[in-house]
Amino acid sequence: MKNKSLVSINDFTREEHVRILELAGAFENRPKQKILEDFVVATLFFEPSTRTRLSFESAATRLGARVIGFTDASSSSVQKGESLRDTILTVSNYCDIIVMRHPKEGSARFASEVAKVPIINAGDGANQHPTQTLLDLYSIMKTQGTLDNLNVAFVGDLKYGRTVHSLVMALCNYNTTFHLVSPLELKLPSSVKLSIKERNLEYHQYTDLQEVIPKVDILYMTRIQKERFSDPLDYEKVKNAYVLRNNMLGDSRSNLKILHPLPRVNEITTDVDDNPKAYYFTQALNGVYVRQAILCAILGVVD
Amino acid sequence: MEKEDIRKELKVSAIENGTVIDHIPSQSVFLVMKILNLTKYPDQLLFGNNLDSRKMGKKGIIKVSNKFFQSDEINKIALVAPTATLIIIKNFQVVEKKKVRIPDFADNIVKCFNPNCITNNEDIPTKFTVINKKDLKLHCHYCEKITARENITFLE
Ligand SMILES: [Zn+2]
């Protein structure tokens, strides 16, 4: 993985994903190791995402790296009309690796083609966010002890959620049975379903959340955004149908864990937070270990 | 080639050496010239459009003197003119005749359908993999979205 950019989840092989998860486990046991003291990490956030940026910066600084960068485009030369190519070429001179988030799809791929240093994509528009996918895989692995043969439910906006699309694609490597719960307007796109079909994996589609809960090992919740509906009345009809409440978890499996990419709005009520099956805050913490693993693997300080 | 076609073609005179691109859909003749960069071609260039064709109803034809295209170059036109045939002329004789083939890749000829794609927002050449030749589906190398036949537009 040394010097390889991570733009799309498929840039790394299944074996490389597994290696990242192993390394993340090692960082979870020893999060503070000064093994990146000689490195400079640039975090270029062309659009703000405090959560993701802090997670990367925490990962880098816990390993002793120095972090430079900007937190949104308005505080950088981008606002003066500098091209992405020029920004990337310039910043490449100052650092060993670039973590970037950009509102346009394909920006990270383009950056990886012009940069002299590797690029980690921290989100390019609605396209890819591979470190989120890896931290999701890590969370599933840690809570279930395996990635193989699990029943995973995805709930909410399956049409526009890039997190859902890349996690579905990644899980296609592990003989997953998919349970897809969404309003009809927000079903998983056929291009993503095609990846499931190509692997001859099982998937089931539902509009009702309750009936799925007893069947699954992982319940991956997402937010349904009002803007996604052309008719606001359609949103009003479904907005409460995909809310998880603690009293719905009675029949759930003992190993069930609830995941959510955060931030949550109201799709998981706060009474779920105290249920030991709620895992979303730990999931966010796992992001730091996974990003430590990715930084070290790409910078070549671990094999 | 149909006999009738040959007679009709004579409306556009023969060339000594070069390439004839025949059976171009009428609406695509100018686009084909643009894709092949012929609008500024310095040598003899003949073309006809809306000619009668038994196979196609109406068709266009382009004759380019002293030009022999590389196959990647010519296959680009298959995206707009899948019916086109290519005739290589040497010494007024047809030496080779073939159909265009839809290429595996399309670089910098088609616009990405996704308005939020980086190629539509910065000065970056587009790059596609042709993932379906029958229904013509192009996968953008950058934003990873699919541009289908009905959404294809060509770069200026
Ligand atoms: Zn694109």
Side-chain angles (χ1 to χ4, degrees):
Chain A
M1 284 171 274
K2 193 179 175 186
N3 287 326
K4 207 163 147 182
S5 287
L6 176 57
V7 172
S8 180
I9 189 70
N10 295 331
D11 289 350
F12 283 15
T13 61
R14 177 192 153 127
E15 289 66 36
E16 288 171 329
H17 293 164
V18 169
R19 180 66 188 133
I20 296 284
L21 305 190
E22 278 170 17
L23 288 169
F27 285 117
E28 177 162 6
N29 294 330
R30 263 188 74 205
K32 291 174 193 167
Q33 304 180 38
K34 300 289 169 209
I35 52 180
L36 291 185
E37 274 181 319
D38 298 333
F39 293 91
V40 177
V41 176
T43 53
L44 309 187
F45 278 63
F46 295 86
E47 66 176 3
S49 171
T50 311
R51 196 176 297 270
T52 304
R53 183 173 55 81
L54 291 180
S55 176
F56 268 108
E57 294 186 356
S58 165
T61 43
R62 281 182 182 182
L63 297 172
R66 273 152 302 158
V67 178
I68 59 170
F70 51 81
T71 59
D72 68 88
S74 64
S75 63
S76 73
S77 52
V78 179
Q79 209 196 10
K80 297 177 194 125
E82 185 179 53
S83 71
L84 177 59
R85 183 190 158 82
D86 287 6
T87 307
I88 296 294
L89 279 173
T90 310
V91 175
S92 301
N93 293 323
Y94 308 146
C95 63
D96 302 291
I97 190 164
I98 294 173
V99 176
M100 70 176 271
R101 186 181 187 102
H102 194 285
K104 301 295 176 206
E105 286 118 43
S107 51
R109 178 70 64 200
F110 174 71
S112 74
E113 292 172 346
V114 295
K116 287 174 275 181
V117 298
I119 300 277
I120 298 176
N121 182 7
D124 61 327
N127 185 32
Q128 288 272 335
H129 190 7
T131 63
Q132 174 73 44
T133 310
L134 286 162
L135 83 86
D136 289 342
L137 286 178
Y138 182 71
S139 300
I140 296 172
M141 171 87 149
K142 232 185 90 182
T143 59
Q144 306 297 324
T146 176
L147 289 173
D148 294 312
N149 312 316
L150 296 172
N151 278 275
V152 180
F154 288 91
V155 182
D157 178 357
L158 309 189
K159 184 172 181 185
Y160 298 100
R162 68 172 170 203
T163 334
V164 171
H165 304 168
S166 12
L167 185 54
V168 168
M169 307 241 252
L171 284 173
C172 282
N173 289 321
Y174 301 97
N175 196 33
T176 304
T177 301
F178 296 95
H179 301 266
L180 310 170
V181 189
S182 73
L184 292 173
E185 297 88 337
L186 297 177
K187 277 163 70 175
L188 195 71
S190 49
S191 58
V192 185
K193 266 183 225 154
L194 193 67
S195 330
I196 303 179
K197 288 182 200 155
E198 274 170 0
R199 301 293 184 106
N200 287 317
L201 298 177
E202 220 179 290
Y203 72 93
H204 307 277
Q205 302 192 89
Y206 313 77
T207 49
D208 177 42
L209 171 56
Q210 183 67 67
E211 67 171 302
V212 177
I213 293 173
K215 300 179 183 173
V216 298
D217 308 302
I218 292 287
L219 195 54
Y220 198 101
M221 300 293 297
T222 65
R223 180 156 53 108
I224 293 180
Q225 290 167 280
K226 198 176 180 173
E227 310 85 86
R228 301 302 188 197
F229 290 83
S230 47
D231 184 347
L233 283 176
D234 289 339
Y235 171 73
E236 294 303 320
K237 267 186 264 166
V238 302
K239 69 170 183 188
N240 293 320
Y242 301 92
V243 173
L244 183 67
R245 295 178 184 81
N246 197 39
N247 62 14
M248 296 165 75
L249 294 165
D251 287 338
S252 61
R253 295 182 177 180
S254 58
N255 62 316
L256 173 78
K257 287 289 182 278
I258 301 152
L259 271 58
H260 189 299
L262 303 181
R264 135 182 88 172
V265 180
N266 63 349
E267 55 279 10
I268 303 174
T269 56
T270 48
D271 62 356
V272 179
D273 296 0
D274 296 328
N275 191 315
K277 293 173 180 175
Y279 194 72
Y280 27 93
F281 293 114
T282 317
Q283 181 188 358
L285 171 65
N286 290 341
V288 177
Y289 310 132
V290 169
R291 288 171 179 128
Q292 286 181 310
I294 295 167
L295 286 169
C296 289
I298 295 177
L299 287 169
V301 296
V302 292
D303 288 325
Chain B
M1 204 181 298
E2 304 291 331
K3 264 209 173 83
E4 190 194 356
D5 274 4
I6 294 172
R7 245 186 297 123
K8 297 269 159 68
E9 250 169 51
L10 294 177
K11 287 176 185 167
V12 182
S13 29
I15 55 172
E16 185 176 351
N17 289 297
T19 308
V20 174
I21 307 160
D22 197 2
H23 299 109
I24 305 169
S26 283
Q27 71 276 12
S28 304
V29 170
F30 294 98
L31 205 49
V32 167
M33 287 202 268
K34 206 177 82 186
I35 292 170
L36 293 176
N37 236 331
L38 293 174
T39 46
K40 287 179 184 148
Y41 190 61
D43 206 334
Q44 195 182 58
L45 176 80
L46 304 160
F47 69 91
N49 203 8
N50 299 312
L51 304 171
D52 294 322
S53 157
R54 191 181 283 177
K55 249 191 267 171
M56 308 174 61
K58 296 281 180 194
K59 67 164 187 181
I61 188 166
I62 303 172
K63 301 187 177 192
V64 195
S65 284
N66 303 312
K67 174 90 183 168
F68 302 97
F69 296 95
Q70 299 293 320
S71 54
D72 316 1
E73 200 181 354
I74 200 80
N75 283 338
K76 285 181 187 178
I77 71 163
L79 298 172
V80 278
T83 50
T85 46
L86 213 58
I87 303 157
I88 315 293
I89 311 278
K90 285 186 180 155
N91 258 327
F92 294 107
Q93 299 294 310
V94 173
V95 295
E96 198 188 343
K97 208 186 242 190
K98 58 186 173 191
K99 293 206 71 133
V100 293
R101 291 200 1 243
I102 293 185
D104 296 328
F105 302 98
D107 288 356
N108 214 22
I109 40 176
V110 172
K111 232 168 98 73
C112 182
F113 174 58
N114 172 12
N116 208 36
C117 177
I118 191 72
T119 60
N120 287 319
N121 292 274
E122 298 240 354
D123 184 18
I124 296 171
T126 63
K127 256 175 156 175
F128 293 90
T129 306
V130 180
I131 53 165
N132 186 329
K133 293 190 180 181
K134 217 170 116 232
D135 294 331
L136 203 56
K137 286 194 166 62
L138 309 178
H139 180 260
C140 175
H141 167 75
Y142 292 104
C143 73
E144 308 184 19
K145 298 275 180 296
I146 311 281
T147 299
R149 188 192 296 282
E150 59 272 22
N151 302 319
I152 288 182
T153 50
F154 288 81
L155 290 166
E156 289 305 312

